Amino acid sequence: MKITAKTKICMVIGDPVKHSLSPQIHNAGYEKIGIDRDYVYIAANVKIQDLADFIKGVKAMQIRGVSCTIPHKIEVIKYLDEVDEIAKKIGAVNTIVNDHGILKGYNTDWLGAVLPIEKITSLKNKKVALIGAGGAARAIAYGVTQKGAKLKIYNRTIEKACKLAKEFYGEAHSLNDIESIKNMDIIFNATSVGLHPKENETPIPKKLITNHHIVFDAIYIPYETRLLKEAKEQGATIIHGSEMFLQQAVAQFKLYTGYDAPEEFMRSVLLHHLSIKEK
Ligand code: ATR
């Protein structure tokens, strides 16, 4: 244990939060590059009604960085001193940096959406089918359109798809039109369908997936969702949700510490912990 009175605190807040793997991967990263004397990363279950008090605490305790997860990403914005332009456009903050008492909000989820795809192919002019129109979908819609993709949003509640499509210059569809994903290049699941404990569910019939698709699931528990398993069986290229989680954390690591995150090492730690969860 290298923590001293000078160690800066970073943390994740959520409700619930105990499933979060952020402490494991950030702390492993600190240790790997030898800054675990300077930084420590913890988690706290913060209720939405306690958010204002929590923010006062962040300033009082000079907490360096706060990662926000469900249900805080939108609500937290009103307590911040500054919000980065991208986070404003997305309408959600998953990262807060405390610079000498000034709290600035960022969003790194969109990087989690685009960087794993860009390792395989350019997004420019690609046809992206985004399934879902909730919080996660907003960051994905921003990210892929920012990189030049053409967006079609499919959602159970069509009104929500229309609203998102309008903001990000996409096309809105109901889930009844899902057949048309056949002609898309990339399929991105941003619904909660398939999430633990409902692992038997999938948002897309298997027969619509072909070997020319890239299928990316934002869900990372379970590690391999039914959607990804079936996509693999159909010969599609798959991207696990753990990559989205990893890349948003890698970007946070840099914002909190100023150091480049040891990405490979953090991935191995994440996959290790996900495999434990699967057992
Ligand atoms: P998150 O912040 O994780 O995106 P959210 O904002 O609650 O969570 O959004 C959940 C998304 O999953 C929504 O797009 C939701 O569809 P609706 O807008 O119609 O509610 C979608 N979703 C959840 N359960 C679903 C189901 N059983 N079938 C289809 N879509 C579902």
Side-chain angles (χ1 to χ4, degrees):
M1 174 80 80
K2 298 199 180 135
I3 296 170
T4 71
K6 290 183 192 159
T7 304
K8 295 188 179 82
I9 301 169
C10 296
M11 65 191 300
V12 57
I13 60 162
D15 183 23
V17 82
K18 67 173 189 280
H19 66 279
S20 174
L21 295 174
S22 294
Q24 286 94 321
I25 64 170
H26 281 269
N27 285 319
Y30 298 158
E31 200 178 341
K32 180 74 178 169
I33 65 165
I35 57 168
D36 47 332
R37 193 179 293 273
D38 308 311
Y39 293 93
V40 65
Y41 192 109
I42 58 172
N45 199 113
V46 173
K47 298 245 167 269
I48 197 102
Q49 62 268 28
D50 294 330
L51 202 48
D53 288 341
F54 170 76
I55 293 290
K56 279 188 199 157
V58 169
K59 291 197 176 188
M61 291 173 67
Q62 296 167 38
I63 288 168
R64 168 62 180 163
V66 181
S67 310
C68 303
T69 184
I70 288 172
H72 300 307
K73 290 185 186 186
I74 298 170
E75 187 68 12
V76 79
I77 291 176
K78 64 173 178 260
Y79 302 110
L80 303 178
D81 301 302
E82 292 171 22
V83 179
D84 151 84
E85 283 310 311
I86 294 173
K88 262 190 212 159
K89 184 100 200 345
I90 295 170
V93 159
N94 75 323
T95 308
I96 305 168
V97 178
N98 181 357
D99 256 327
H100 307 289
I102 306 293
L103 301 190
K104 182 163 181 178
Y106 297 86
N107 188 303
T108 66
D109 287 330
W110 74 280
L111 288 167
V114 302
L115 294 177
I117 298 172
E118 285 184 324
K119 284 188 180 175
I120 299 171
T121 185
S122 158
L123 272 157
K124 189 140 188 67
N125 294 323
K126 290 290 183 328
K127 291 179 277 184
V128 175
L130 176 58
I131 323 291
R138 293 192 64 82
I140 298 164
Y142 170 82
V144 299
T145 53
Q146 188 64 24
K147 296 292 178 178
K150 295 179 198 136
L151 183 63
K152 279 191 189 177
I153 300 164
Y154 297 79
N155 198 47
R156 181 176 60 179
T157 312
I158 182 77
E159 292 77 16
K160 278 164 81 184
C162 290
K163 186 170 177 290
L164 197 59
K166 209 169 161 191
E167 273 180 72
F168 295 102
Y169 307 102
E171 240 178 61
H173 292 266
S174 122
L175 279 181
N176 299 330
D177 297 338
I178 198 73
E179 284 262 339
S180 58
I181 62 161
K182 275 190 197 157
N183 307 317
M184 305 300 283
D185 301 308
I186 299 167
I187 300 170
F188 211 136
N189 177 39
T191 72
S192 47
V193 181
L195 180 67
H196 174 79
K198 293 186 180 167
E199 279 115 340
N200 285 333
E201 297 180 3
T202 179
I204 302 161
K206 182 177 177 181
K207 64 177 193 299
L208 298 181
I209 305 171
T210 69
N211 61 5
H212 72 259
H213 282 130
I214 294 174
V215 181
F216 193 165
D217 201 332
I219 294 172
Y220 67 95
I221 298 174
Y223 171 66
E224 200 155 296
T225 56
R226 179 173 161 195
L227 169 66
L228 291 184
K229 277 195 193 108
E230 293 183 349
K232 203 153 83 176
E233 284 161 13
Q234 296 292 84
T237 303
I238 64 167
I239 307 176
H240 294 92
S242 55
E243 280 302 305
M244 182 166 178
F245 178 67
L246 177 71
Q247 294 301 340
Q248 64 78 34
V250 160
Q252 289 181 330
F253 191 104
K254 176 93 181 184
L255 285 167
Y256 297 154
T257 69
Y259 292 99
D260 287 333
E263 180 183 321
E264 281 306 318
F265 182 69
M266 285 166 69
R267 177 180 292 105
S268 68
V269 171
L270 174 60
L271 294 183
H272 170 71
H273 285 285
L274 284 173
S275 75
I276 292 170
K277 271 192 195 286
E278 296 239 305
K279 280 171 197 153

